[in-house]
Amino acid sequence: MPSIVNETVFSEPSGGLFPVVQLCGAVVFSALYWQYAVVEQSLSGGWLLFMIAGTALSGIAESLPKNRRRAAGVLRIAAILVLTCLLAILFLARELLGL
């Protein structure tokens, strides 16, 4: 019996406009981080690094060719872990993010 997680995480990459939107989101998060770090010289934008990594990994996973299901699944799992770590740090140790 196939698993729902296996069907969802290790499905074919969607392609199309979805990875472009995710990669553009990573670029926007990078610009916001640059604004915090360089222009304002503030460390309060540390959470943006997690958002950059999560959206970039997800965008790369969805932009792979259709026959790269396993690689896309690994990148999706990595994106989920990065964003889950952000949530854990927000609840357990907010001072690590400069908040």
Side-chain angles (χ1 to χ4, degrees):
M1 182 164 88
S3 161
I4 293 174
V5 173
N6 192 21
E7 291 175 6
T8 305
V9 174
F10 293 102
S11 64
E12 289 184 354
S14 64
L17 189 61
F18 189 59
V20 174
V21 170
Q22 288 180 324
L23 291 172
C24 287
V27 170
V28 168
F29 286 136
S30 298
L32 286 172
Y33 181 74
W34 182 80
Q35 173 72 25
Y36 274 119
V38 176
V39 176
E40 296 180 11
Q41 296 180 351
S42 171
L43 295 176
S44 62
W47 60 275
L48 285 167
L49 293 173
F50 288 93
M51 296 298 292
I52 293 166
T55 55
L57 285 170
S58 183
I60 293 169
E62 297 303 324
S63 66
L64 290 175
K66 299 284 185 190
N67 60 354
R68 303 292 305 260
R69 293 175 65 161
R70 185 173 294 164
V74 169
L75 288 171
R76 288 178 187 137
I77 290 172
I80 290 168
L81 287 175
V82 166
L83 295 173
T84 304
C85 287
L86 173 62
L87 286 175
I89 290 173
L90 280 173
F91 286 112
L92 301 175
R94 293 179 65 108
E95 64 275 0
L96 291 177
L97 295 176
L99 299 174

Coordinates of all heavy atoms in Angstrom, one line a residue:
M1 N 0.8 -1.2 0.0 CA 0.0 0.0 0.0 C 0.9 1.2 0.0 O 1.7 1.4 0.9 CB -0.9 0.0 1.2 CG -1.8 1.2 1.3 SD -3.1 0.9 2.5 CE -2.4 1.6 3.9
P2 N 0.8 2.1 -1.0 CA 1.6 3.3 -1.1 C 1.3 4.3 0.0 O 0.1 4.5 0.4 CB 1.4 3.8 -2.5 CG 0.1 3.2 -2.9 CD -0.1 1.9 -2.2
S3 N 2.3 5.0 0.5 CA 2.1 6.0 1.5 C 1.7 7.3 0.9 O 2.2 7.7 -0.2 CB 3.5 6.1 2.3 OG 3.5 7.3 3.0
I4 N 1.0 8.1 1.6 CA 0.6 9.4 1.2 C 1.8 10.3 1.2 O 2.0 11.1 0.3 CB -0.5 10.0 2.1 CG1 -1.8 9.2 2.0 CG2 -0.7 11.5 1.8 CD1 -2.9 9.6 2.9
V5 N 2.7 10.1 2.2 CA 3.9 10.9 2.2 C 4.8 10.6 1.0 O 5.3 11.5 0.3 CB 4.7 10.7 3.5 CG1 6.1 11.4 3.5 CG2 3.9 11.1 4.7
N6 N 4.9 9.3 0.6 CA 5.7 8.9 -0.5 C 5.1 9.5 -1.8 O 5.8 10.0 -2.7 CB 5.7 7.4 -0.6 CG 6.8 6.9 -1.6 OD1 7.7 7.6 -1.9 ND2 6.6 5.7 -2.0
E7 N 3.8 9.5 -1.9 CA 3.2 10.1 -3.1 C 3.3 11.6 -3.2 O 3.4 12.1 -4.3 CB 1.7 9.7 -3.1 CG 1.4 8.2 -3.4 CD -0.1 7.9 -3.3 OE1 -0.9 8.9 -3.1 OE2 -0.4 6.7 -3.3
T8 N 3.3 12.2 -2.1 CA 3.4 13.7 -2.0 C 4.8 14.2 -2.2 O 5.1 15.0 -3.0 CB 2.8 14.2 -0.7 OG1 1.4 13.7 -0.6 CG2 2.7 15.8 -0.8
V9 N 5.7 13.7 -1.3 CA 7.0 14.2 -1.3 C 7.9 13.8 -2.5 O 8.6 14.5 -3.0 CB 7.7 13.8 0.1 CG1 9.2 14.2 0.1 CG2 7.0 14.4 1.2
F10 N 7.7 12.5 -2.9 CA 8.5 12.0 -4.0 C 7.7 12.0 -5.3 O 8.0 11.1 -6.1 CB 9.0 10.6 -3.6 CG 10.0 10.7 -2.5 CD1 9.7 10.3 -1.2 CD2 11.3 11.1 -2.7 CE1 10.6 10.4 -0.2 CE2 12.2 11.1 -1.7 CZ 11.9 10.8 -0.4
S11 N 6.8 12.9 -5.5 CA 6.1 13.0 -6.7 C 6.9 13.7 -7.8 O 8.0 14.2 -7.4 CB 4.7 13.7 -6.5 OG 5.0 15.0 -6.1
E12 N 6.5 13.7 -9.0 CA 7.2 14.4 -10.0 C 7.2 15.9 -9.8 O 6.2 16.5 -9.3 CB 6.5 14.2 -11.4 CG 6.7 12.8 -11.9 CD 6.1 12.6 -13.3 OE1 5.4 13.6 -13.8 OE2 6.2 11.6 -13.9
P13 N 8.3 16.6 -10.1 CA 8.4 18.0 -9.9 C 7.3 18.7 -10.8 O 7.0 18.2 -11.9 CB 9.8 18.4 -10.4 CG 10.6 17.1 -10.3 CD 9.6 16.0 -10.5
S14 N 6.7 19.7 -10.3 CA 5.5 20.3 -11.0 C 5.9 21.2 -12.2 O 5.2 21.2 -13.2 CB 4.7 21.2 -10.0 OG 5.5 22.2 -9.6
G15 N 7.1 21.8 -12.1 CA 7.5 22.7 -13.2 C 6.6 23.8 -13.4 O 5.8 24.2 -12.6
G16 N 6.7 24.4 -14.6 CA 5.8 25.6 -14.9 C 6.1 26.8 -14.2 O 7.3 27.2 -14.0
L17 N 5.1 27.5 -13.7 CA 5.3 28.8 -13.1 C 5.6 28.7 -11.6 O 6.2 29.7 -11.0 CB 4.0 29.7 -13.3 CG 4.0 31.1 -12.9 CD1 5.1 31.9 -13.7 CD2 2.7 31.8 -13.1
F18 N 5.2 27.7 -11.0 CA 5.4 27.5 -9.5 C 6.9 27.6 -9.1 O 7.2 28.4 -8.1 CB 4.8 26.2 -9.1 CG 4.8 26.0 -7.6 CD1 4.0 26.8 -6.8 CD2 5.4 24.9 -7.0 CE1 4.0 26.7 -5.4 CE2 5.4 24.7 -5.6 CZ 4.6 25.6 -4.8
P19 N 7.9 27.0 -9.7 CA 9.2 27.2 -9.2 C 9.8 28.6 -9.5 O 10.6 29.1 -8.7 CB 10.0 26.1 -10.0 CG 9.2 25.7 -11.1 CD 7.8 25.9 -10.7
V20 N 9.3 29.2 -10.5 CA 9.7 30.6 -10.8 C 9.2 31.5 -9.7 O 10.0 32.4 -9.2 CB 9.1 31.1 -12.2 CG1 9.4 32.5 -12.4 CG2 9.7 30.2 -13.3
V21 N 8.0 31.3 -9.2 CA 7.5 32.1 -8.1 C 8.3 31.9 -6.8 O 8.6 32.8 -6.1 CB 6.0 31.8 -7.9 CG1 5.4 32.5 -6.6 CG2 5.2 32.3 -9.1
Q22 N 8.6 30.6 -6.6 CA 9.4 30.3 -5.4 C 10.8 30.9 -5.4 O 11.3 31.5 -4.4 CB 9.4 28.8 -5.1 CG 8.1 28.3 -4.7 CD 8.2 26.8 -4.5 OE1 8.9 26.1 -5.2 NE2 7.4 26.3 -3.5
L23 N 11.4 30.8 -6.6 CA 12.8 31.4 -6.7 C 12.7 32.9 -6.7 O 13.7 33.5 -6.1 CB 13.4 30.8 -8.0 CG 13.8 29.3 -7.9 CD1 14.2 28.9 -9.3 CD2 14.8 29.0 -6.9
C24 N 11.7 33.5 -7.2 CA 11.6 35.0 -7.1 C 11.3 35.4 -5.6 O 11.8 36.4 -5.2 CB 10.4 35.5 -8.0 SG 10.8 35.5 -9.7
G25 N 10.6 34.5 -4.9 CA 10.4 34.8 -3.5 C 11.7 34.7 -2.7 O 12.0 35.5 -1.8
A26 N 12.6 33.8 -3.1 CA 13.9 33.7 -2.5 C 14.7 35.0 -2.8 O 15.5 35.5 -1.9 CB 14.6 32.5 -2.9
V27 N 14.6 35.5 -4.0 CA 15.3 36.7 -4.3 C 14.8 37.9 -3.5 O 15.5 38.7 -3.1 CB 15.2 37.0 -5.9 CG1 15.7 38.4 -6.2 CG2 16.0 35.9 -6.6
V28 N 13.5 38.0 -3.4 CA 12.9 39.0 -2.6 C 13.3 38.9 -1.1 O 13.7 39.9 -0.5 CB 11.3 39.0 -2.7 CG1 10.7 39.9 -1.6 CG2 10.9 39.4 -4.1
F29 N 13.3 37.7 -0.6 CA 13.8 37.5 0.8 C 15.3 37.9 0.9 O 15.7 38.5 1.9 CB 13.6 36.1 1.3 CG 12.2 35.8 1.6 CD1 11.7 34.6 1.2 CD2 11.4 36.6 2.4 CE1 10.4 34.2 1.5 CE2 10.1 36.3 2.7 CZ 9.6 35.1 2.2
S30 N 16.1 37.7 -0.1 CA 17.5 38.1 -0.1 C 17.6 39.6 -0.1 O 18.5 40.1 0.6 CB 18.2 37.5 -1.3 OG 18.2 36.1 -1.3
A31 N 16.8 40.2 -0.9 CA 16.8 41.7 -0.9 C 16.4 42.3 0.5 O 17.0 43.2 0.9 CB 15.9 42.2 -2.0
L32 N 15.4 41.7 1.1 CA 15.1 42.1 2.4 C 16.2 41.9 3.4 O 16.4 42.8 4.3 CB 13.8 41.4 2.9 CG 12.5 41.8 2.2 CD1 11.4 40.9 2.7 CD2 12.1 43.2 2.6
Y33 N 16.8 40.8 3.4 CA 18.0 40.5 4.3 C 19.1 41.5 4.0 O 19.7 42.0 5.0 CB 18.5 39.1 4.1 CG 19.6 38.8 5.0 CD1 19.4 38.6 6.4 CD2 20.9 38.7 4.6 CE1 20.4 38.3 7.3 CE2 21.9 38.4 5.5 CZ 21.7 38.3 6.8 OH 22.7 38.0 7.7
W34 N 19.4 41.8 2.7 CA 20.4 42.8 2.4 C 20.0 44.1 3.0 O 20.9 44.8 3.5 CB 20.5 42.9 0.9 CG 21.6 43.8 0.5 CD1 22.9 43.6 0.5 CD2 21.4 45.1 0.1 NE1 23.6 44.7 0.0 CE2 22.7 45.7 -0.2 CE3 20.3 46.0 -0.1 CZ2 22.9 47.0 -0.7 CZ3 20.5 47.2 -0.6 CH2 21.8 47.7 -0.8
Q35 N 18.7 44.5 3.0 CA 18.3 45.7 3.6 C 18.5 45.8 5.1 O 19.0 46.7 5.6 CB 16.8 45.9 3.3 CG 16.1 47.1 4.0 CD 16.5 48.4 3.4 OE1 16.9 48.5 2.2 NE2 16.5 49.4 4.2
Y36 N 18.2 44.7 5.7 CA 18.5 44.6 7.2 C 20.0 44.6 7.5 O 20.4 45.4 8.3 CB 17.9 43.3 7.8 CG 16.5 43.4 8.2 CD1 15.5 42.6 7.6 CD2 16.0 44.3 9.2 CE1 14.2 42.6 8.0 CE2 14.7 44.3 9.5 CZ 13.8 43.5 8.9 OH 12.5 43.5 9.3
A37 N 20.7 43.8 6.8 CA 22.1 43.6 7.2 C 23.0 44.7 6.8 O 23.9 45.1 7.5 CB 22.6 42.2 6.7
V38 N 22.9 45.1 5.5 CA 23.9 46.1 5.0 C 23.4 47.5 5.2 O 24.2 48.3 5.7 CB 24.1 45.8 3.5 CG1 25.0 46.8 2.9 CG2 24.7 44.4 3.3
V39 N 22.2 47.8 4.8 CA 21.8 49.2 4.9 C 21.5 49.7 6.3 O 22.0 50.7 6.7 CB 20.5 49.4 4.0 CG1 20.0 50.8 4.1 CG2 20.8 49.1 2.5
E40 N 20.7 48.9 7.0 CA 20.4 49.3 8.4 C 21.4 48.8 9.5 O 21.3 49.1 10.6 CB 19.0 48.8 8.8 CG 17.9 49.4 7.9 CD 16.5 48.9 8.2 OE1 16.4 48.2 9.2 OE2 15.6 49.2 7.5
Q41 N 22.3 47.9 9.1 CA 23.3 47.3 9.9 C 22.7 46.7 11.2 O 23.1 47.0 12.3 CB 24.4 48.3 10.3 CG 25.2 48.8 9.1 CD 26.2 49.8 9.4 OE1 26.3 50.3 10.5 NE2 27.1 50.1 8.4
S42 N 21.7 45.9 11.0 CA 20.9 45.3 12.0 C 21.0 43.8 11.9 O 21.0 43.2 10.8 CB 19.4 45.7 12.0 OG 18.7 45.0 12.9
L43 N 21.0 43.1 13.0 CA 21.0 41.6 13.0 C 19.6 41.0 13.2 O 19.5 39.8 13.4 CB 21.9 41.1 14.1 CG 23.4 41.5 14.0 CD1 24.2 41.0 15.1 CD2 23.9 40.9 12.7
S44 N 18.6 41.9 13.1 CA 17.2 41.4 13.4 C 16.6 40.6 12.2 O 15.5 40.1 12.3 CB 16.3 42.5 13.8 OG 16.2 43.4 12.7
G45 N 17.3 40.5 11.1 CA 16.8 39.8 9.9 C 17.3 38.4 9.8 O 17.2 37.8 8.7
G46 N 17.8 37.8 10.8 CA 18.3 36.4 10.8 C 17.3 35.4 10.3 O 17.7 34.4 9.7
W47 N 16.0 35.6 10.6 CA 15.0 34.6 10.2 C 14.9 34.6 8.7 O 14.4 33.6 8.2 CB 13.7 35.0 10.9 CG 13.2 36.4 10.5 CD1 13.5 37.6 11.0 CD2 12.3 36.7 9.4 NE1 12.9 38.6 10.4 CE2 12.1 38.1 9.4 CE3 11.6 35.9 8.4 CZ2 11.3 38.7 8.4 CZ3 10.8 36.6 7.5 CH2 10.7 37.9 7.5
L48 N 15.3 35.7 8.0 CA 15.2 35.7 6.6 C 16.1 34.7 5.9 O 15.8 34.2 4.8 CB 15.5 37.1 6.0 CG 14.4 38.1 6.2 CD1 14.9 39.5 6.0 CD2 13.2 37.8 5.3
L49 N 17.2 34.3 6.6 CA 18.1 33.3 6.0 C 17.4 32.0 5.9 O 17.6 31.2 4.9 CB 19.4 33.2 6.9 CG 20.3 34.5 6.9 CD1 21.4 34.3 7.9 CD2 20.8 34.7 5.5
F50 N 16.6 31.6 6.9 CA 15.9 30.4 6.8 C 14.8 30.4 5.7 O 14.6 29.4 5.0 CB 15.2 30.1 8.2 CG 16.1 29.7 9.3 CD1 16.6 30.7 10.1 CD2 16.4 28.4 9.5 CE1 17.5 30.3 11.1 CE2 17.2 28.0 10.5 CZ 17.8 29.0 11.3
M51 N 14.2 31.6 5.6 CA 13.2 31.7 4.5 C 13.8 31.6 3.1 O 13.3 31.0 2.2 CB 12.4 33.0 4.6 CG 11.6 33.1 5.9 SD 10.3 31.9 6.0 CE 9.2 32.4 4.7
I52 N 15.0 32.2 3.0 CA 15.7 32.2 1.7 C 16.1 30.7 1.4 O 15.8 30.3 0.3 CB 17.0 33.0 1.8 CG1 16.7 34.5 1.9 CG2 17.9 32.8 0.6 CD1 17.9 35.4 2.3
A53 N 16.6 30.0 2.3 CA 17.0 28.6 2.1 C 15.8 27.7 1.8 O 15.8 26.9 0.9 CB 17.8 28.1 3.3
G54 N 14.7 27.9 2.6 CA 13.5 27.1 2.4 C 12.9 27.3 1.0 O 12.6 26.3 0.3
T55 N 12.7 28.5 0.6 CA 12.1 28.8 -0.6 C 13.0 28.4 -1.8 O 12.5 28.0 -2.8 CB 11.6 30.3 -0.8 OG1 12.7 31.1 -0.5 CG2 10.5 30.6 0.2
A56 N 14.3 28.7 -1.7 CA 15.2 28.3 -2.8 C 15.3 26.8 -3.0 O 15.2 26.3 -4.1 CB 16.6 28.9 -2.5
L57 N 15.3 26.0 -1.9 CA 15.3 24.6 -2.0 C 14.1 24.1 -2.6 O 14.1 23.2 -3.5 CB 15.6 23.9 -0.6 CG 17.0 24.0 0.0 CD1 16.9 23.6 1.4 CD2 17.9 23.2 -0.8
S58 N 12.9 24.6 -2.2 CA 11.7 24.2 -2.8 C 11.6 24.6 -4.3 O 11.1 23.8 -5.1 CB 10.5 24.8 -2.0 OG 9.3 24.4 -2.4
G59 N 12.0 25.8 -4.6 CA 12.0 26.2 -6.0 C 12.9 25.3 -6.9 O 12.5 25.0 -8.0
I60 N 14.1 25.0 -6.4 CA 15.0 24.1 -7.1 C 14.4 22.7 -7.3 O 14.4 22.1 -8.4 CB 16.3 24.0 -6.4 CG1 17.0 25.4 -6.5 CG2 17.2 22.9 -7.1 CD1 18.3 25.5 -5.7
A61 N 13.7 22.2 -6.2 CA 13.1 20.9 -6.3 C 12.0 20.9 -7.4 O 11.9 19.9 -8.1 CB 12.5 20.5 -4.9
E62 N 11.2 21.9 -7.5 CA 10.1 21.9 -8.4 C 10.6 22.2 -9.9 O 9.9 22.0 -10.8 CB 9.1 22.9 -8.0 CG 8.4 22.6 -6.7 CD 7.7 21.2 -6.7 OE1 7.2 20.8 -7.7 OE2 7.8 20.6 -5.7
S63 N 11.8 22.7 -10.0 CA 12.3 23.0 -11.4 C 13.1 21.9 -12.0 O 13.6 22.0 -13.1 CB 13.1 24.3 -11.3 OG 14.3 24.1 -10.6
L64 N 13.3 20.8 -11.3 CA 14.0 19.7 -11.8 C 13.3 19.0 -12.9 O 12.0 19.1 -13.0 CB 14.4 18.7 -10.7 CG 15.4 19.1 -9.7 CD1 15.5 18.1 -8.6 CD2 16.7 19.4 -10.3
P65 N 13.9 18.2 -13.8 CA 13.2 17.5 -14.8 C 12.3 16.4 -14.2 O 12.5 16.0 -13.0 CB 14.3 16.8 -15.6 CG 15.6 17.5 -15.2 CD 15.4 18.1 -13.9
K66 N 11.3 16.0 -14.9 CA 10.3 15.0 -14.4 C 10.9 13.7 -13.9 O 10.3 13.1 -13.0 CB 9.2 14.8 -15.5 CG 8.5 16.0 -16.0 CD 7.5 16.4 -15.0 CE 6.7 17.6 -15.6 NZ 5.8 18.2 -14.6
N67 N 12.0 13.3 -14.5 CA 12.5 12.0 -14.1 C 13.4 12.0 -12.9 O 14.0 11.0 -12.4 CB 13.3 11.3 -15.3 CG 14.5 12.2 -15.7 OD1 14.6 13.3 -15.2 ND2 15.3 11.7 -16.6
R68 N 13.5 13.2 -12.2 CA 14.4 13.3 -11.0 C 13.5 13.4 -9.8 O 13.6 14.3 -8.9 CB 15.2 14.6 -11.1 CG 16.1 14.7 -12.4 CD 17.2 13.7 -12.3 NE 18.0 13.8 -11.2 CZ 19.2 14.4 -11.1 NH1 19.7 15.1 -12.1 NH2 19.8 14.5 -9.9
R69 N 12.6 12.4 -9.6 CA 11.7 12.4 -8.4 C 12.4 12.3 -7.1 O 12.0 12.9 -6.1 CB 10.7 11.2 -8.6 CG 9.8 11.4 -9.8 CD 9.0 10.1 -10.0 NE 8.1 10.0 -8.8 CZ 7.0 9.2 -8.8 NH1 6.7 8.6 -9.9 NH2 6.3 9.1 -7.7
R70 N 13.4 11.4 -7.0 CA 14.1 11.2 -5.8 C 14.9 12.5 -5.3 O 14.8 12.9 -4.2 CB 15.1 10.0 -5.8 CG 15.7 9.7 -4.5 CD 16.5 8.5 -4.5 NE 15.6 7.3 -4.7 CZ 16.0 6.1 -5.1 NH1 17.2 5.9 -5.3 NH2 15.1 5.2 -5.3
A71 N 15.6 13.1 -6.3 CA 16.3 14.3 -6.0 C 15.3 15.5 -5.5 O 15.6 16.2 -4.6 CB 17.1 14.8 -7.2
A72 N 14.2 15.5 -6.2 CA 13.2 16.5 -5.8 C 12.6 16.2 -4.4 O 12.4 17.2 -3.7 CB 12.0 16.5 -6.9
G73 N 12.4 15.0 -4.1 CA 12.0 14.6 -2.8 C 12.9 15.0 -1.7 O 12.6 15.5 -0.6
V74 N 14.2 14.7 -2.0 CA 15.3 15.1 -1.0 C 15.3 16.6 -0.8 O 15.4 17.1 0.4 CB 16.6 14.5 -1.4 CG1 17.8 15.1 -0.6 CG2 16.6 13.0 -1.4
L75 N 15.2 17.4 -1.8 CA 15.2 18.8 -1.7 C 14.0 19.3 -1.0 O 14.0 20.3 -0.2 CB 15.3 19.5 -3.1 CG 16.7 19.4 -3.8 CD1 16.6 19.9 -5.2 CD2 17.7 20.1 -3.0
R76 N 12.8 18.7 -1.2 CA 11.6 19.1 -0.5 C 11.7 18.8 1.0 O 11.3 19.6 1.8 CB 10.4 18.3 -1.1 CG 10.0 18.8 -2.5 CD 8.8 18.0 -3.0 NE 8.5 18.3 -4.3 CZ 8.2 17.4 -5.3 NH1 8.2 16.1 -5.0 NH2 8.0 17.8 -6.5
I77 N 12.3 17.6 1.3 CA 12.5 17.3 2.7 C 13.4 18.3 3.4 O 13.2 18.7 4.5 CB 12.9 15.8 2.9 CG1 11.8 14.9 2.5 CG2 13.4 15.6 4.3 CD1 12.2 13.4 2.4
A78 N 14.5 18.6 2.7 CA 15.4 19.6 3.2 C 14.8 21.0 3.4 O 15.0 21.6 4.5 CB 16.6 19.8 2.3
A79 N 13.9 21.4 2.5 CA 13.2 22.7 2.7 C 12.3 22.6 3.9 O 12.2 23.6 4.7 CB 12.4 23.0 1.4
I80 N 11.6 21.5 4.0 CA 10.7 21.3 5.2 C 11.5 21.3 6.5 O 11.0 22.0 7.5 CB 9.9 20.0 5.1 CG1 8.9 20.1 3.9 CG2 9.2 19.6 6.4 CD1 8.2 18.8 3.5
L81 N 12.6 20.7 6.5 CA 13.4 20.7 7.7 C 14.0 22.1 8.1 O 14.0 22.5 9.2 CB 14.6 19.7 7.6 CG 14.3 18.3 7.7 CD1 15.5 17.4 7.4 CD2 13.7 17.9 9.0
V82 N 14.4 22.9 7.1 CA 14.9 24.2 7.3 C 13.8 25.1 7.9 O 14.0 25.8 8.9 CB 15.4 24.8 6.0 CG1 15.6 26.3 6.1 CG2 16.7 24.2 5.6
L83 N 12.6 25.0 7.3 CA 11.5 25.9 7.8 C 11.0 25.4 9.1 O 10.5 26.2 9.9 CB 10.4 25.9 6.7 CG 10.8 26.6 5.4 CD1 9.7 26.4 4.4 CD2 11.1 28.0 5.6
T84 N 11.0 24.1 9.4 CA 10.6 23.6 10.7 C 11.6 24.0 11.8 O 11.2 24.4 12.9 CB 10.5 22.0 10.7 OG1 9.6 21.7 9.7 CG2 10.1 21.5 12.0
C85 N 12.9 24.1 11.4 CA 13.9 24.6 12.3 C 13.7 26.1 12.7 O 13.8 26.5 13.8 CB 15.3 24.4 11.8 SG 15.9 22.8 11.8
L86 N 13.2 26.8 11.7 CA 12.9 28.2 11.9 C 11.7 28.3 13.0 O 11.8 29.1 13.9 CB 12.5 28.9 10.6 CG 11.9 30.4 10.8 CD1 12.9 31.3 11.4 CD2 11.4 30.9 9.5
L87 N 10.7 27.5 12.8 CA 9.6 27.5 13.8 C 10.1 27.1 15.2 O 9.7 27.7 16.2 CB 8.5 26.6 13.3 CG 7.7 27.1 12.1 CD1 6.7 26.0 11.7 CD2 6.9 28.3 12.5
A88 N 10.9 26.1 15.2 CA 11.4 25.6 16.5 C 12.2 26.7 17.2 O 12.1 27.0 18.4 CB 12.3 24.4 16.3
I89 N 13.1 27.4 16.4 CA 13.9 28.5 17.0 C 13.0 29.6 17.5 O 13.2 30.3 18.5 CB 15.0 29.0 16.0 CG1 16.0 27.9 15.9 CG2 15.6 30.2 16.5 CD1 17.0 28.1 14.8
L90 N 12.0 29.9 16.7 CA 11.0 31.0 17.1 C 10.4 30.7 18.4 O 10.1 31.6 19.2 CB 10.0 31.2 16.0 CG 10.4 32.0 14.8 CD1 9.3 32.0 13.8 CD2 10.7 33.4 15.2
F91 N 10.0 29.5 18.7 CA 9.4 29.1 19.9 C 10.3 28.9 21.1 O 10.0 29.1 22.2 CB 8.5 27.9 19.7 CG 7.2 28.2 19.0 CD1 7.0 27.7 17.7 CD2 6.2 29.0 19.5 CE1 5.9 28.0 17.0 CE2 5.1 29.3 18.8 CZ 4.9 28.8 17.6
L92 N 11.5 28.3 20.8 CA 12.4 27.9 21.9 C 13.5 28.9 22.2 O 13.9 29.0 23.4 CB 13.0 26.6 21.5 CG 12.0 25.4 21.3 CD1 12.7 24.2 20.9 CD2 11.2 25.2 22.6
A93 N 14.0 29.6 21.2 CA 15.2 30.5 21.4 C 15.1 31.7 20.5 O 15.9 31.8 19.6 CB 16.5 29.7 21.2
R94 N 14.2 32.6 20.8 CA 14.0 33.8 19.9 C 15.2 34.6 19.8 O 15.5 35.3 18.8 CB 12.8 34.6 20.4 CG 11.5 33.9 20.2 CD 10.4 34.8 20.8 NE 10.3 36.0 20.0 CZ 9.3 36.2 19.1 NH1 8.3 35.4 19.0 NH2 9.3 37.3 18.4
E95 N 16.0 34.6 20.9 CA 17.2 35.5 20.9 C 18.3 35.1 19.9 O 19.1 35.9 19.5 CB 17.9 35.5 22.3 CG 18.4 34.2 22.8 CD 17.4 33.3 23.4 OE1 16.2 33.7 23.6 OE2 17.7 32.2 23.8
L96 N 18.2 33.9 19.4 CA 19.2 33.4 18.4 C 18.9 34.1 17.0 O 19.8 34.2 16.2 CB 19.1 31.9 18.2 CG 19.6 31.0 19.3 CD1 19.4 29.6 19.0 CD2 21.1 31.4 19.6
L97 N 17.7 34.5 16.8 CA 17.3 35.2 15.6 C 17.4 36.7 15.7 O 17.1 37.5 14.7 CB 15.9 34.8 15.1 CG 15.7 33.4 14.8 CD1 14.2 33.1 14.5 CD2 16.6 33.0 13.6
G98 N 17.8 37.2 16.8 CA 17.9 38.7 17.0 C 16.5 39.4 17.2 O 16.4 40.5 17.0
L99 N 15.5 38.6 17.6 CA 14.2 39.2 17.8 C 14.0 39.6 19.3 O 14.5 39.1 20.2 CB 13.1 38.2 17.5 CG 13.1 37.7 16.0 CD1 12.1 36.6 15.8 CD2 12.8 38.9 15.1

